């Protein structure tokens, strides 16, 4: 059995170890509660999922490219019409 100052130090060390374990458990609990609350908040905001955003961006880019191609075709046709009209 430990007596005297060593017993006090042993008890103090055990108390600190228990306090550290309790603090770590409380930290994990607070983190879990915060994460759950953040997930509830995010789900209530009606945000777009990343995959949906990327798909829509790709569609918009494809539409812009197609518009540019059609613009070039229209310009070429207008030039042909103007050339034909100037020959009349």
């Amino acid at each position: 059995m430990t007596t005297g100052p060593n017993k006090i130090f042993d008890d103090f060390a055990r108390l600190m170890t228990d306090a550290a374990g309790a603090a770590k458990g409380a930290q994990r609990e607070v983190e879990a509660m915060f994460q759950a609350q953040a997930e509830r908040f995010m789900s209530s905001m009606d945000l777009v999922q990343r995959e949906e955003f990327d798909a829509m961006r790709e569609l918009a880019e494809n539409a812009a490219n197609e518009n540019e191609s059609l613009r070039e075709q229209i310009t070429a046709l207008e030039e042909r019409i103007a050339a034909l009209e100037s020959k009349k």
Side-chain angles (χ1 to χ4, degrees), residues 1-16:
M1 180 169 158
T2 308
T3 60
N6 288 337
K7 169 98 168 96
I8 293 172
F9 288 133
D10 288 343
D11 289 345
F12 183 70
R14 192 175 314 113
L15 179 65
M16 289 293 109

Side-chain angles (χ1 to χ4, degrees), residues 17-52:
T17 302
D18 292 345
K24 190 67 172 172
Q27 177 186 1
R28 280 190 294 256
E29 187 174 332
V30 167
E31 287 173 352
M33 288 176 19
F34 179 78
Q35 183 174 2
Q37 185 67 24
E39 287 174 1
R40 278 194 297 275
F41 176 73
M42 296 294 277
S43 67
S44 70
M45 291 185 61
D46 193 28
L47 298 174
V48 175
Q49 300 244 340
R50 181 65 187 200
E51 293 82 18
E52 293 176 30

Side-chain angles (χ1 to χ4, degrees), residues 56-74:
M56 291 304 293
R57 182 176 58 195
E58 184 178 349
L59 285 174
E61 288 173 355
N62 290 342
N65 292 337
E66 186 175 347
N67 284 344
E68 183 60 31
S69 174
L70 292 172
R71 185 176 295 119
E72 290 171 0
Q73 290 176 23
I74 290 171

